[in-house]
Amino acid sequence: MSKTLKQKLVAYALVLPAFLVVMLTVAYPIVSAVIQSFQDEKTGAFTLDNYAYFFTEPAQRMNILYTLFVVIATVVIALVVAYLLALYLRFVHSGIAKSIGTLYLLPRFVPAMCAVYAMITIIRDSGLINRIGLHFGMDLKLGLMYHANGMIIMNLWFNIPFAAMMITAGLGAIPDSIIEAARDVGAGKFKVFTSMILPLSLKDVIIAGTFVFMTNVGSFTTPYLMGGNSPKMLGIALFDQFNKYLAYNRSAALSVIMFLLCSVSAGVYIYTNLKEKDWEQ
């Protein structure tokens, strides 16, 4: 046996335990769920009824559309606010900017349950904002509880710091020298932004958007505590199918649907990374 072959066998032997763990804990459950999603609950025969149910039943179809609305709104608003915050942190050198740069990641370290309950005590109709308003003779009822707007606000609380962190890292990789060179030849701030800063940071914005999208498609804590009874986010709909109705085959089908929704975002992420050289050019 050659020395090269021995080295390859040793390498494969070292990787094998991790590979088996991944196959047993990730690959096998995915394959099992896909197979189960095409089986009839009573007979086990092949069927598409489990998928048809979620696209033909009005309530279930509304759940999908509702989830997409909340997630897309979260992605768009989070990216816009995070990009503006990242620009401020990157190009403004002041004490306030440094303080914000130190504090803006704190929401990432707050447990989700605690953060949601804290938000509820503030925005509910009898919460902090309402009590402050009563002192000034105003009965302020925001109507954000059990509403899409409330969940979007809560999602932004979690996702803006995350997106800003990724975009700030991308902006930090832009050399000051090329910006100064553009200014030296007469380019204004808007021209520098549109022709240099935005193109060089767009890849990081897209990647941040893909992560925010995938994180919120299957979110559970915020919709469970702040969402209404109808329509529901897909994470809650999946919980109901599995735990309340014991419809395991439909649960598997909904899991696959959620996976396919996330795979679109994952595809954008992979494509963006494969085109890294094109972005650099």
Side-chain angles (χ1 to χ4, degrees):
M1 185 180 295
S2 65
K3 183 178 179 180
T4 304
L5 181 57
K6 289 182 179 179
Q7 291 176 344
K8 289 183 178 181
L9 291 176
V10 170
Y12 289 142
L14 294 174
V15 172
L16 184 60
F19 175 77
L20 292 177
V21 170
V22 171
M23 294 299 295
L24 291 174
T25 60
V26 179
Y28 175 74
I30 291 175
V31 174
S32 177
V34 172
I35 295 173
Q36 191 175 10
S37 69
F38 289 103
Q39 292 177 340
D40 182 79
E41 187 173 354
K42 295 181 179 179
T43 64
F46 176 85
T47 181
L48 294 175
D49 291 344
N50 297 320
Y51 289 95
Y53 170 76
F54 292 102
F55 293 102
T56 57
E57 175 68 25
Q60 300 300 327
R61 186 169 64 246
M62 183 58 66
N63 289 342
I64 296 176
L65 296 176
Y66 180 71
T67 299
L68 290 176
F69 167 74
V70 172
V71 172
I72 292 174
T74 299
V75 170
V76 172
I77 299 174
L79 290 182
V80 171
V81 176
Y83 194 78
L84 294 175
L85 176 60
L87 286 174
Y88 177 76
L89 295 175
R90 170 64 176 83
F91 296 106
V92 176
H93 305 286
S94 65
I96 296 176
K98 292 180 180 179
S99 299
I100 295 175
T102 304
L103 299 175
Y104 82 100
L105 287 177
L106 285 179
R108 300 296 303 172
F109 299 97
V110 178
M113 189 73 71
C114 299
V116 175
Y117 270 119
M119 183 65 72
I120 290 174
T121 61
I122 294 173
I123 67 173
R124 64 183 179 183
D125 291 346
S126 60
L128 177 63
I129 294 177
N130 178 263
R131 294 198 296 271
I132 292 175
L134 291 175
H135 285 288
F136 297 95
M138 297 180 292
D139 188 12
L140 299 176
K141 294 184 178 180
L142 304 179
L144 295 176
M145 284 298 298
Y146 314 116
H147 193 276
N149 293 339
M151 288 193 292
I152 292 172
I153 291 174
M154 192 69 246
N155 290 339
L156 294 175
W157 193 88
F158 287 115
N159 290 284
I160 287 176
F162 174 74
M165 177 182 64
M166 296 190 67
I167 298 172
T168 301
L171 290 173
I174 301 176
D176 291 332
S177 58
I178 64 173
I179 298 175
E180 295 170 356
R183 290 176 178 173
D184 290 341
V185 297
K189 292 182 179 179
F190 183 76
K191 184 64 176 178
V192 171
F193 172 74
T194 56
S195 62
M196 303 186 71
I197 297 175
L198 181 59
L200 290 173
S201 60
L202 191 57
K203 184 193 76 171
D204 300 284
V205 174
I206 294 175
I207 291 176
T210 60
F211 278 103
V212 173
F213 184 91
M214 289 186 289
T215 300
N216 288 278
V217 166
S219 62
F220 181 82
T221 304
T222 300
Y224 185 77
L225 297 175
M226 298 182 66
N229 292 325
S230 181
K232 302 176 181 178
M233 295 285 286
L234 290 181
I236 305 301
L238 177 60
F239 175 82
D240 289 344
Q241 291 293 329
F242 190 86
N243 289 278
K244 290 185 179 181
Y245 310 133
L246 303 180
Y248 302 123
N249 298 82
R250 286 180 178 177
S251 301
L254 184 55
S255 299
V256 174
I257 292 172
M258 294 171 66
F259 173 78
L260 292 176
L261 290 175
C262 291
S263 67
V264 175
S265 181
V268 174
Y269 170 79
I270 294 172
Y271 176 82
T272 303
N273 280 279
L274 291 176
K275 294 293 182 178
E276 185 173 358
K277 293 184 178 180
D278 294 339
W279 287 101
E280 292 175 352
Q281 293 175 0

